[in-house]
Amino acid sequence: MEESISRGEFQVNLAKQSSLRSGGSFKSTLSGRSTPRNSPSFRRLNSGRTPRKEGRSSVGGALWFRSNRVLLWLLLITLWAYLGFFVQSRWAHSDKKEEFSGFGTGPRNTILDAEQTQRRDLITGDNSLSANNETVTNKTGISKPINVALAKKENDVPSRRKTGSKKRSRRPMRALKSKARSKLKPTIEVKNNDTEEQEPEIPTTNSTYGLLVGPFGSSEDRILEWNPQKRSGTCNRKGDFARLVWSRRFILIFHELSMTGAPLSMMELATELLSCGATVSVVVLSKKGGLMSELARRRIKVLEDKADFSFKTAMKADLVIAGSAVCASWIEQYIEHFPAGASQVAWWIMENRREYFDRSKDVLHRVKMLVFLSESQSKQWQKWCEEESIKLRSQPEIVPLSVNDELAFVAGISSTLNTPSFSTEKMVEKRQLLRESVRNEMGLTDNDMLVLSLSSINPGKGQLLLLESASSALEQGQLEDDKKMKKSSKIRKGLSTLTRGHRIRKLLPLLKDGKVALNDTSNNSLSRRKQLIPNSKGAMQQSLKVLIGSVGSKSNKVDYVKSLLSFLEQHPNTSKSVLWTPATTRVASLYSAADVYVINSQGVGETFGRVTIEAMAFGLPILGTEAGGTQEIVEHNVTGLLHPIGRPGNDVLAHNLRFLLKNQLARKQMGVEGRKKVQRMYLKQHMYKKFVEVIVRCMRSK
């Protein structure tokens, strides 16, 4: 028994000594002191059969973490900062379409040059209007149109099923679908982003079209030696607008991406906000149009989602700006998800027809503020609100549109883009060179007065009434020319009879004396007669030409386009004087080439008419309807001439066209006065000064 007890005590003491030795050896190992290989402690620590090895290792790891946790936290912070920098750099510079979320994120769209990819088609899409705009240059250098027609055009994407159908029929259907999905789909997406689709049922042939001209982006780059793509959104850092929006977050709602007034104005607002240091995200309700590539070029981030995710993003914004009455559905859903968000919505409404009021009246009273473009539009909408017993939360603001810096720069008006090498005087000279180049490419001479009308082709814009007025003006000119020709022929006959009798009476005594030869006298009388008779060629100083755009715009109405074609078929002489241009964001060359601008909006008139002030900036007199915002911009007999809406205004418009056709001095004087008014009221700094008031009122109390 004693031996067994002593043996048990010995084993216990031995275990205690072993544990102490192992602990001592562990500490000594950490401290850097070595343990002999043949020692029992070394064998126990390095033996795979030791049952307590895992426990000792975990204890050692915990001790190491405690002693080096500062170093570990520094490592984690460094990795986190590097990860954030990597994501930001990838988003800003990667050409791949990678999705990010939130304000600092968005899909990276492929940047395409819209001017280079713009096809010279009258209407683009699966079923579209196309025109063969081949020209022949004669000896005088004037281009003439050849075989201009309206044709049905198939999709430009090559069809894999048509070519090599026999070989492909042997392959499995699943492989065919996968390959078509992988190859054809990206091409179609790119095309849909860059071109504007049109409604079907386009007439297949029509020979009444004149020459399709433009776009002239390459001519602008070559002559002006300046590209607006290199300089866009230059912010005045010292202005109130820049100080107000700096480091703030904004959500902008686009109703579509067509190249029309509202989307273009919203795009420029987003560009200005970004250049002034704000964070901007865009929600697009309809992506049909040609501005997607331009948004990508300007690094304006478009949120893929237009529902729940866009609502969550808008909740974090300082201000939500909706750019059309069509945005009513999004605003209503946003307020349902986030009722308090109504206090951060500024609704910039750019339409002025009752149908737009009806679709938005349910949420007009819920948003923080309504913003309109003109006094007439504001009064009209407030009148409709009174009729529907709608009480607005606050008094509406009026923010008129402006001429952007790029157009003002080309027009020779001082802007933020001017530099010592690109002064206003220099740009005026270059604009004259651009005018001569573009007019020569159009086939125009100095004796042609080019009348320009740029907008989507629909009944509200009145292009058909313009063509009717132009046709009437051309007929009046022809009648006047015929009357002058008849009058001059009568004068010639009368002069010939008088001069013949007078000459014979005078020459009889001279012939008797033999002092004058008959041939010499007849030649002298003929030369004197030529001086008395007016030159019939100088009776018509200039001829009328009409340029209509924007052909290919998504907003064009097909039935209305057909009515224009039908009218031109019935008036072939008018058709010879009509030119067409596709939709484009580069319009400086068109304004430079024109002599007169027509804004023929019908109904309640144009809401504001940004094209009106752009044309005035280029020194063009305006022929407009006395309705809507046009009558606020155009001063009759000062900056242009006004006429009534509807067909009763056709005769007045035709008379005004004839007046400007005959009076170049009046054209020039009206253009000068219009340019002065733009410099006084409608430049970029004027618009953003108004926007400061809107933002301050919206952010004062939500």
Side-chain angles (χ1 to χ4, degrees), residues 241-258:
F241 181 81
R243 289 194 292 267
L244 185 62
V245 304
W246 174 262
S247 74
R248 295 188 181 273
R249 296 176 293 183
F250 294 86
I251 280 281
L252 271 59
I253 315 299
F254 287 53
H255 76 289
E256 63 180 16
L257 293 178
S258 62

Side-chain angles (χ1 to χ4, degrees), residues 230-457:
K230 300 177 181 177
R231 299 276 300 277
S232 61
T234 53
C235 177
N236 179 16
R237 298 290 183 181
K238 298 180 180 179
D240 294 335
F241 181 81
R243 289 194 292 267
L244 185 62
V245 304
W246 174 262
S247 74
R248 295 188 181 273
R249 296 176 293 183
F250 294 86
I251 280 281
L252 271 59
I253 315 299
F254 287 53
H255 76 289
E256 63 180 16
L257 293 178
S258 62
M259 297 181 189
T260 53
L264 289 173
S265 301
M266 291 294 290
M267 180 180 68
E268 291 172 3
L269 174 61
T271 304
E272 190 69 14
L273 288 170
L274 284 174
S275 65
C276 289
T279 304
V280 179
S281 294
V282 166
V283 177
V284 178
L285 304 184
S286 174
K287 294 186 179 180
K288 293 182 180 179
L291 289 181
M292 182 59 77
S293 59
E294 185 67 16
L295 291 174
R297 185 190 69 79
R298 298 183 182 220
R299 300 187 183 278
I300 299 173
K301 292 174 282 298
V302 179
L303 299 180
E304 287 294 333
D305 178 71
K306 54 185 178 183
D308 294 339
F309 180 72
S310 66
F311 301 152
K312 294 177 182 178
T313 309
M315 289 169 56
K316 304 174 184 177
D318 294 292
L319 186 63
V320 177
I321 303 176
S324 170
V326 185
C327 301
S329 59
W330 186 92
I331 295 175
E332 185 174 9
Q333 295 177 30
Y334 172 58
I335 295 176
E336 290 178 358
H337 282 73
F338 182 50
S343 298
Q344 61 181 154
V345 177
W347 200 348
W348 199 13
I349 298 177
M350 303 189 188
E351 295 86 5
N352 199 25
R353 296 203 300 271
R354 182 61 189 243
E355 59 183 285
Y356 290 102
F357 172 82
D358 291 338
R359 69 192 302 176
S360 59
K361 62 183 180 181
D362 294 335
V363 287
L364 289 175
H365 64 287
R366 304 184 67 181
V367 300
K368 177 69 175 180
M369 181 183 299
L370 298 181
V371 184
F372 297 107
L373 300 180
S374 61
E375 285 283 353
S376 60
Q377 181 201 14
S378 178
K379 292 178 180 178
Q380 182 64 69
W381 279 70
Q382 290 186 70
K383 180 181 178 181
W384 288 333
C385 287
E386 292 176 1
E387 294 175 357
E388 298 286 341
S389 300
I390 298 174
K391 187 176 181 180
L392 303 178
R393 293 181 59 175
S394 61
Q395 184 68 22
E397 285 282 353
I398 297 176
V399 179
L401 299 177
S402 67
V403 179
N404 61 47
D405 271 357
E406 288 79 9
L407 278 180
F409 175 71
V410 179
I413 298 176
S414 179
S415 69
T416 56
L417 298 177
N418 290 116
T419 61
S421 59
F422 289 102
S423 61
T424 55
E425 294 79 8
K426 189 73 173 177
M427 293 310 300
V428 169
E429 296 177 1
K430 289 182 176 293
R431 181 165 58 90
Q432 182 61 31
L433 295 176
L434 180 63
R435 171 183 171 85
E436 295 173 358
S437 174
V438 173
R439 286 177 68 91
N440 182 59
E441 187 172 345
M442 290 181 180
L444 303 178
T445 65
D446 293 337
N447 290 328
D448 294 321
M449 185 184 80
L450 180 62
V451 176
L452 181 64
S453 178
L454 292 179
S455 60
S456 57
I457 303 176

Side-chain angles (χ1 to χ4, degrees), residues 126 154-166 168 176 179-181 183-185 187-188 191:
D126 292 341
E154 297 295 335
N155 198 321
D156 290 337
V157 180
S159 177
R160 300 285 184 179
R161 298 182 181 179
K162 292 181 179 180
T163 59
S165 59
K166 294 182 179 180
R168 299 187 66 88
L176 177 63
K179 189 169 183 180
R181 192 180 299 113
K183 291 189 176 182
L184 294 181
K185 188 174 180 180
T187 308
I188 294 174
K191 181 183 177 183

